[in-house]
Amino acid sequence: MACRTFGERLDDLLEGRLSPADRRAADEHLRSCAGCRELKSLVAEASVPVTPPADLLGAVLARTSGSACGSARTRLCDHIDRLLAPADDDLVRMHLDACGECAGLAARLARLAADLPPLAERDPGPRLVDEVLARTSRRPALPSRRAARFAAVWRRLAHRPRIAWEGAYVGSIIMVVLFGAANAPFADVPGRALVVVRAVQESLPADAARGEVPRIRLAVLSRWNAARALTSNLERRSSAAWDGLKKELGTVWGRFASGKATSGTNRTADTNEADRGDER
Amino acid sequence: MLLDDATLLERCRQGDDLAWEGLVRRFQGRVYSVACHYMRNAEEARDVAQEVFVRIYERLEAFHGDQTFLPWVLRLSRNICIDTLRRQKARPRATEADVDPTAQLASPARTPEEASAARSARDLLYRAMDRMSDADREILMLKEIQGLKVEEIALLLKVPTGTVKSRCNRARLDLAERVRRLDPSYGA
């Protein structure tokens, strides 16, 4: 076997893949060739795995891309949340196997992921529900609350002392805007109404108008009598109430006056007694 | 079986007082928690929580069924807290001691040892979060604690979703670092 052929078959020889005939030929060549014996021993030594120096990786990274910790930390949260793609996840895992500092950080992040969600609820104590219910449940429904609020606003406005002046002012402005100005929408309405009344008055037959007068007078009289009956009824009731009130007031006043008189008498008796004591 | 939120809301809209009480009971812990995060004072947080529920009651008609109720409630709570804080701007801020960190809703299944460990972990987290910036605390509270989606937070804070994600990741890393400083054994 030539040295070149031996070199080509050296790997197979070392890994035991040669046929018996080839192996015998290779052994014969080795016995006769010192160079190939040296080559075989070198290759055999190199194939034994050797632990690299601890600082080798750091030294290489320092001279090339720099530390990978920063890159790993940007992906660490996603690694904990299992959001990384498989390839990235493997890379982070490899880094964590080699880097104690990042592994510690990853462990703390994993613990935080478990410890933070339970903080979502805190006990506000037993009072909160009662306080909230007191402020909400007894309230009327939303539409009636709105109506009440609206009514309250109007009531507040109406109770202001200036409301009469303001109402008169606004009413006058509205009247002027609607009827008074030259180009107002209803500017000619009063004039037209006057014309219509005059036209009706002229077109109404005098006899028919005369016939209507007693009927109108009768209707007015009956309304007037009903109103008077109502007024006298009210008067009677109010005078009865006033009499009762006067009676009550009189009783109270009588009690007050008699009490005053009694205390005055006592006071006089006491004073007299004191005077007598002084004299003695 | 518990009523779902939509049914509960519908019953509230129909004027069922019992449903309203149920709704307040269901969401009071959430609302109070958000109020505590912003107000940092138990009494003020309770007042704000009350105000939130009164506002919810008044706006029940305005709530659309196509929205999710919890994000709506949390958004309302946040807005009311911020309004309240704006009104009391001149007032000095309360310290963390004003909020009782143990005032968590108790889980009946816990053993005393587990409950104690959980309490100390909560205390540690509150102390660590109290030292964070307002923006980081807020985003942590909305996403990691209240569990809102990135899109919902983006809508609420009016920022792009990418910004929400990056700010949230930064806040988580910051919190992890602050927790390590307070307790190096945390997560080990």
Side-chain angles (χ1 to χ4, degrees), chain A residues 77 81 107-109 111-112 115 118-124 127 129 131-133 135-137 139 142, chain B residues 20 28-29 32-33 46 50-51 57-58 99 103-105 122 125-126 145-146 169 172 176 180 186-187:
Chain A
C77 292
D81 298 340
R108 281 191 295 279
L109 283 172
R111 173 90 190 267
L112 283 177
D115 284 350
L119 305 186
E121 293 196 42
R122 286 195 195 207
D123 186 3
R127 281 189 303 153
V129 175
E131 287 165 354
V132 170
L133 293 181
R135 285 183 65 183
T136 55
S137 292
R139 288 174 146 200
L142 197 61
Chain B
W20 172 240
Q28 61 169 340
Y32 182 63
S33 175
R46 190 156 38 232
Q50 253 193 58
E51 195 56 42
Y57 185 78
E58 287 172 350
V99 173
Q104 211 70 32
L105 287 182
R122 275 198 308 266
L125 290 180
Y126 283 133
I145 297 178
Q146 295 298 337
N169 286 352
R172 282 168 78 179
R180 186 189 64 79
Y186 183 86

Side-chain angles (χ1 to χ4, degrees), chain A residues 72-140:
Chain A
R73 286 177 187 198
T74 57
R75 300 179 213 184
L76 217 45
C77 292
D78 286 344
H79 168 71
I80 301 293
D81 298 340
R82 300 172 194 281
L83 296 174
L84 282 182
D88 286 328
D89 206 48
D90 284 346
L91 289 172
V92 172
R93 223 180 279 276
M94 278 165 59
H95 177 79
L96 294 182
D97 287 343
C99 177
E101 203 176 327
C102 288
L105 182 60
R108 281 191 295 279
L109 283 172
R111 173 90 190 267
L112 283 177
D115 284 350
L116 286 175
L119 305 186
E121 293 196 42
R122 286 195 195 207
D123 186 3
R127 281 189 303 153
L128 182 67
V129 175
D130 294 339
E131 287 165 354
V132 170
L133 293 181
R135 285 183 65 183
T136 55
S137 292
R138 284 176 213 146
R139 288 174 146 200

Side-chain angles (χ1 to χ4, degrees), chain A residues 30-75:
Chain A
L30 275 176
R31 275 196 291 276
S32 61
C33 179
C36 286
R37 275 202 303 277
E38 193 182 351
L39 175 67
K40 187 196 169 213
S41 63
L42 277 174
V43 172
E45 276 174 22
S47 61
V48 175
V50 178
T51 311
D55 59 345
L56 179 64
L57 178 67
V60 170
L61 292 178
R63 293 182 62 188
T64 53
S65 63
S67 166
C69 289
S71 179
R73 286 177 187 198
T74 57
R75 300 179 213 184

Side-chain angles (χ1 to χ4, degrees), chain B residues 91 107 127 129 135 151-152 160 179:
Chain B
R91 207 166 128 181
S107 164
R127 276 192 292 141
M129 285 171 71
E151 294 77 17
E152 289 166 343
V179 168

